[in-house]
Amino acid sequence: SPELGSVPPGEFIPVAERVGLINRLTLPLLSKALEAATSWPAGMRLSFNLSAHDCSSEDAVQQIVELIKSSRFDPTCLDLEITETAAIKDLPQTQRTISRLRELGCGISLDDFGTGYSSLSHIHALSLTKLKVDRTFVTNIQVNPASFKIVKSLVALCQDMQLECIVEGVETAAELDALKNLGCAWAQGYLFCKPMHASEISAWLESK
């Protein structure tokens, strides 16, 4: 913005949701993401966040499905992330949404788990493939017994429910070591990489 400068998603997405504009962002952003990801190595996964509106609208879901089908990206390598708010806003519709997306082969992640209002009954009712543990439980987990026990319980829950567990917000090697000791297999955060422009991804991958 010429007035505000760079505005991060954490700030503009809640505003777009409040003023009812979020539905105008999903399709163009998903289209750009799918197109950019077609140049990635085979089997590399793409994650994309859906809003509560996307999950609660039959029309929105239909448009998303059609866009995925028409793209050149393999839908079995696409993970669509939903929030706890979306899950409880209209559970029956969210179930139908997830079912349609799973039929395409897409993975479904419940984002920021542990900070909202989801109960175990909601998790059981949704055909999820992944749980993403919120970063609030990760910061300094190596010296925070409460966080350590919470993440340990969530990892065990995922194992029992045959869900992949992805821990968000890992920023230090000490945090990563603590998570490895808990048996965590997947993590994301600034320790691995900070956000980058799509045009920079290929060079970054080649450097690894």
Side-chain angles (χ1 to χ4, degrees):
S1 166
E3 296 180 12
L4 303 175
S6 179
V7 183
E11 294 182 18
F12 74 74
I13 289 179
V15 174
E17 289 180 330
R18 286 198 300 271
V19 300
L21 294 177
I22 192 68
N23 59 311
R24 293 168 57 182
L25 297 177
T26 298
L27 292 178
L29 290 178
L30 179 56
S31 177
K32 289 182 179 181
L34 290 169
E35 180 60 28
T38 57
S39 64
W40 295 355
M44 187 170 172
R45 304 192 68 81
L46 168 69
S47 293
F48 187 89
N49 292 82
L50 298 180
S51 70
H53 174 272
D54 297 324
C55 295
S56 61
S57 167
E58 288 279 6
D59 289 340
V61 175
Q62 180 62 31
Q63 291 178 318
I64 291 170
V65 168
E66 291 176 356
L67 176 59
I68 295 172
K69 284 183 175 180
S70 65
S71 76
R72 296 183 296 152
F73 189 75
D74 182 358
T76 64
C77 292
L78 174 63
D79 290 315
L80 295 164
E81 301 184 13
I82 64 173
T83 64
E84 296 184 54
T85 301
I88 66 175
K89 181 179 180 180
D90 186 342
L91 184 59
Q93 176 56 44
T94 301
Q95 289 175 314
R96 290 192 291 271
T97 296
I98 291 175
S99 178
R100 293 199 63 188
L101 296 171
R102 288 292 304 272
E103 287 174 0
L104 296 178
C106 301
I108 304 292
S109 306
L110 185 62
D111 199 16
D112 300 330
F113 183 70
T115 60
Y117 304 99
S118 285
S119 66
L120 294 181
S121 62
H122 286 131
I123 297 175
H124 185 266
L126 299 173
S127 182
L128 303 170
T129 58
K130 297 177 176 68
L131 281 186
K132 301 190 72 176
V133 178
D134 190 76
R135 60 169 299 168
T136 55
F137 302 117
V138 179
T139 303
N140 295 322
I141 187 175
Q142 72 278 9
V143 294
N144 189 327
S147 292
F148 190 89
K149 291 178 181 178
I150 289 172
V151 175
K152 181 179 180 180
S153 298
L154 293 177
V155 170
L157 172 67
C158 289
Q159 291 174 342
D160 288 342
M161 299 189 71
Q162 296 183 320
L163 299 173
E164 289 185 18
C165 181
I166 303 175
V167 183
E168 302 177 291
V170 180
E171 297 189 358
T172 69
E175 292 169 352
L176 181 61
D177 287 341
L179 294 171
K180 286 180 177 179
N181 289 335
L182 288 175
C184 294
W186 302 95
Q188 70 179 62
Y190 281 9
L191 176 64
F192 309 106
C193 182
K194 292 187 177 181
M196 67 178 67
H197 193 276
S199 62
E200 301 172 318
I201 294 177
S202 294
W204 182 81
L205 289 172
E206 290 175 1
S207 69
K208 298 302 171 182

